[in-house]
Amino acid sequence: MGKIGLVSTDFDGTLIVHRLGEKCVPELADSLLGAREAGAKWAINTGRSLEHSVEGITLFCGPYLPDFLLVNERHIFKRNGTRWEADEKWNSLCDLRHKKLFEGATVFMERLRGWARCEKGVTLLPMGETPLGIVTTDEEVMARVADFLDEELTAHPEFSYQRNAIYLRFSHKDYSKGSALAHLAETLRVEREQVFAIGDHFNDLPMLDPEVAGLLACPANSIDAVKRAVSGAGGYVARGEAGSGTAESIRFFLAR
Ligand SMILES: [Mg+2]
């Protein structure tokens, strides 16, 4: 195994910008092939659902299919040919713990519903048996939501959320892109120092953590909080945006 044993890339904003029909840029295809030749496995680590991720990688037309899809910021799927097989043990425990978490959070959910009714631009996503999250009209409104939640959740230490632009998903504090990646690396017996992670937004922060990945990077279009986290941990802040920045970052760590 080379310098990179496992590549974990966010999808939106990291492999692609957000243009309709955008495909893998040639330099990214080269870098991913270089990483694979050096012995690295590739996981796309995203807030997208499995279905939406599969749709995304089909349009993306990368140089090969990723070995793993880490979706919903918590579930793990392994590729077998062109099929995606669940990590049953991890995913079912994850679902069970979320079910229990939401069952025990009815008072908090009531308070949230009450607050959201009086706030402009805040929409709660299906809050039936499995509360999903929140969507807002813009990122400023999302910042207000985050302030509200940060205060409310001090009373619910197990409750957390993953935030990405105007979307927010509720989660158990033990589940994030970071814990999913750490579990995958452990399963693959890849040392933390050989785990490369790159992302651009708030929901990437749990994997852009030196406790999870030793090789950290972010593309130039990342939010400031991500750039600060990556540079603060001695990682690489790329000059290029999205796919070009990811290509540059992989090249940087492969050459080091
Ligand atoms: Mg992103």
Side-chain angles (χ1 to χ4, degrees), residues 10-14 164 177 199-201 203-204:
D10 167 45
F11 197 94
D12 299 278
T14 300
N164 184 19
K177 288 190 181 195
D200 71 313
H201 223 289
N203 63 339
D204 296 302

Side-chain angles (χ1 to χ4, degrees), residues 49-208:
S49 65
L50 179 65
E51 201 182 7
H52 195 198
S53 301
V54 170
E55 192 184 295
I57 56 175
T58 305
L59 295 171
F60 176 66
C61 293
Y64 55 95
L65 289 172
D67 302 288
F68 300 92
L69 284 177
L70 276 44
V71 300
N72 306 319
E73 290 135 353
R74 61 178 83 141
H75 293 122
I76 300 175
F77 290 84
K78 180 185 195 302
R79 186 169 59 80
N80 180 356
T82 52
R83 286 186 311 134
W84 294 97
E85 291 175 351
D87 179 332
E88 288 293 351
K89 203 172 155 195
W90 173 268
N91 292 358
S92 53
L93 181 62
C94 167
D95 289 341
L96 180 68
R97 293 184 73 190
H98 278 88
K99 187 169 180 278
K100 280 190 182 162
L101 179 75
F102 294 130
E103 281 169 359
T106 50
V107 175
F108 160 66
M109 286 296 169
E110 259 325 297
R111 286 177 61 84
L112 174 64
R113 282 192 192 92
W115 179 80
R117 267 196 293 274
C118 309
E119 284 289 316
K120 246 183 121 164
V122 178
T123 306
L124 303 187
L125 296 170
M127 302 290 264
E129 289 221 0
T130 48
L132 274 182
I134 295 175
V135 61
T136 60
T137 46
D138 58 56
E139 294 199 42
E140 247 172 71
V141 178
M142 183 52 81
R144 279 213 309 278
V145 170
D147 287 343
F148 169 80
L149 291 178
D150 290 345
E151 198 167 318
E152 283 291 314
L153 293 179
T154 53
H156 302 273
E158 292 214 307
F159 217 101
S160 184
Y161 62 84
Q162 306 301 324
R163 171 186 171 193
N164 184 19
I166 60 165
Y167 302 100
L168 181 147
R169 175 183 282 115
F170 294 117
S171 64
H172 188 288
K173 70 159 176 53
D174 291 346
Y175 292 89
S176 66
K177 288 190 181 195
S179 61
L181 176 58
H183 178 75
L184 178 62
E186 197 188 321
T187 310
L188 297 173
R189 301 214 167 106
V190 175
E191 296 294 327
R192 197 184 52 80
E193 292 75 16
Q194 291 180 299
V195 178
F196 167 87
I198 184 163
D200 71 313
H201 223 289
F202 285 113
N203 63 339
D204 296 302
L205 289 171
M207 72 164 166
L208 298 173

Side-chain angles (χ1 to χ4, degrees), residues 213-229:
L215 311 170
L216 303 177
C218 64
N221 53 295
S222 301
I223 59 167
D224 288 343
V226 163
K227 287 182 182 168
R228 274 198 305 273

